[in-house]
Amino acid sequence: TTTLMAQQKPFVANYDESKVGQFTLPDPLRLGSMKISTEEDWEKNRATWLTLFADHMYGQMPPKSIKQTNTLVSQKDILGGKATQSIWKMDFAGKVQATVVVILPKSNKKAPVFLGLNFCGNQTISQDEGIPIFDKYVVCNNAPDFINNISQAASRGEWASRWQIEKVIDAGFGTITAACGDFEEDFATGFKNGLRTKLAGELGLKPEEWTANGAWAWGLSRMLDLAQSIAEIDGKKVILHGHSRLGKAALWAGANDRRFAAIISNESGEGGAALSRRIYGETIWRITNSFPHWFLPTYATYADRENELPFDQHILLSLLAPRPVYVASAFGDQWSDPKGEFLGTKEMEKVYSLYGKKGLGNIDMPGLNQPVGKLIRYHIRDGKHDINDYDWDQYIKFGKEEVK
Ligand code: GTR
């Protein structure tokens, strides 16, 4: 109502645990009057949960598949001959194109890979001049690297620390990435130039039936299609990761596409791994006002009545079962509600135990820089909202131990 909105403006985030509010989390093992108690029951009914998320939050995923043509544009050795860097162009029905960078270790074995979207163009992941500079809208706008949300040559390598390519290669993994803006530019009307509009007929969905999160998740699955078509890649060992808004998209992609071998959520926060019922940091009201294109308009109606949502984010995380999952927070990123991310992760055990798998167990939130768990892992590190070499050390270890 108008009064509620008026009271909430300007938005002041709550960071006081005593004001988080009371809530009861929906039970992933209860659907209406039905109780789920076996792996078979969960497998049979997980689609119902997925549909609830599609109907109330992230929108539908396309019912139809499309003609995808992958073309190798260029290939060369990098890192002193330790790795090969390929630039691929994916084309969808001649109407939408996406550029994908594939960096693989030189090896006679098929490589496991980390696959994720980037915010501000492929050229930001490394200084390498062979990577084309992204020419669509990006959310970065710090001159001289980005001017009026368009990438400049100076942006090469801007986010190299978030990709740690040499560390990843030295550990025997490859890296695959594309700019999220090739699927949908990240602003309220970005869908008009993106695949939700251009491929509406082919994919069988109207733009308003899905969201930017859906378009990014769809793109991630098409990148997985490409990965699985490359002989040097072990297509059963593709680890999906995403940071922040792209971590939300990664969770949605992982829930929908069970070919991803493992999923990493780096500080995905509200609308990602954090429980929405906890009023701490970003809220449904704030996120749906700032970024209306990320979710369906229906989701915005749950602002200030979070308890009426038929699900919470622990159930999205549970839809990743029985695969390995790593959720990470940063102490300097209270906006993402680290405790809400930890509690959501802890709740996953209910569903994982149906598969005979362990979760985090009955533990308290760990201290800084102390990863916990095994198949399901969690850490909170010191430092700001980012993905850094500490995070990558943990993800590489996780990949080696759990993606076999
Ligand atoms: C913030 C947004 C967060 C998170 C973040 C990011 O502005 O409120 O939900 O997605 O952006 O993507 O870095």
Side-chain angles (χ1 to χ4, degrees), residues 119 243-246 248 267-270 282 286-287 290-291 294 335-336 385:
F119 282 73
H243 170 61
S244 203
R245 67 196 66 190
L246 300 177
K248 309 180 211 291
E267 300 153 34
S268 60
E270 184 73 24
E282 195 170 27
R286 177 75 251 184
I287 203 168
S290 310
F291 308 104
W294 290 359
W335 180 246
S336 290
H385 183 61

Side-chain angles (χ1 to χ4, degrees), residues 336-395:
S336 290
D337 186 12
K339 188 166 181 197
E341 297 187 309
F342 170 71
L343 293 175
T345 310
K346 205 170 144 176
E347 287 293 321
M348 295 165 71
E349 181 142 31
K350 261 193 173 164
V351 172
Y352 275 67
S353 67
L354 298 179
Y355 294 87
K357 310 244 179 203
K358 283 210 175 77
L360 293 183
N362 188 22
I363 55 166
D364 289 334
M365 180 122 175
L368 299 186
N369 311 327
Q370 292 167 35
V372 287
K374 219 181 122 43
L375 183 78
I376 297 177
R377 294 191 193 194
Y378 174 84
H379 76 238
I380 175 165
R381 62 155 172 78
D382 58 12
K384 63 180 172 56
H385 183 61
D386 198 4
I387 325 168
N388 62 22
D389 60 338
Y390 176 85
D391 298 317
W392 274 108
D393 284 339
Q394 312 319 314
Y395 300 153

Side-chain angles (χ1 to χ4, degrees), residues 28 42 46 49 255 258 312-323 325 344-345 347-352 355:
W42 174 259
R46 73 185 288 285
W49 282 120
R258 301 184 85 185
D312 209 314
Q313 298 306 102
H314 63 304
I315 300 182
L316 180 69
L317 290 166
S318 301
L319 286 167
L320 304 174
R323 292 163 291 168
V325 174
T345 310
E347 287 293 321
M348 295 165 71
E349 181 142 31
K350 261 193 173 164
V351 172
Y352 275 67
Y355 294 87

Side-chain angles (χ1 to χ4, degrees), residues 167-297:
K167 189 190 280 274
V168 167
I169 288 293
D170 288 344
F173 291 85
T175 282
I176 302 186
T177 188
C180 63
D182 261 344
F183 304 107
E184 181 161 331
E185 291 165 294
D186 192 5
F187 58 95
T189 54
F191 71 90
K192 291 187 180 168
N193 324 315
L195 62 90
R196 277 201 276 155
T197 299
K198 290 187 177 162
L199 301 178
E202 287 81 357
L203 294 175
L205 272 187
K206 297 193 191 87
E208 64 274 20
E209 290 177 301
W210 53 325
T211 61
N213 267 304
W216 295 332
W218 186 86
L220 285 165
S221 284
R222 303 294 73 76
M223 290 159 68
L224 176 55
D225 292 342
L226 168 65
Q228 292 190 329
S229 77
I230 297 174
E232 293 78 14
I233 293 175
D234 185 340
K236 292 205 162 67
K237 293 187 182 167
V238 178
I239 304 170
L240 172 60
H241 66 101
H243 170 61
S244 203
R245 67 196 66 190
L246 300 177
K248 309 180 211 291
L251 292 175
W252 182 231
N256 278 285
D257 191 335
R258 301 184 85 185
R259 296 174 301 161
F260 288 110
I263 297 93
I264 298 166
S265 152
N266 194 85
E267 300 153 34
S268 60
E270 184 73 24
L275 296 172
S276 307
R277 278 169 175 72
R278 273 176 55 83
I279 304 305
Y280 189 100
E282 195 170 27
T283 61
I284 294 182
W285 185 86
R286 177 75 251 184
I287 203 168
T288 54
N289 275 277
S290 310
F291 308 104
H293 54 297
W294 290 359
F295 306 100
L296 292 177

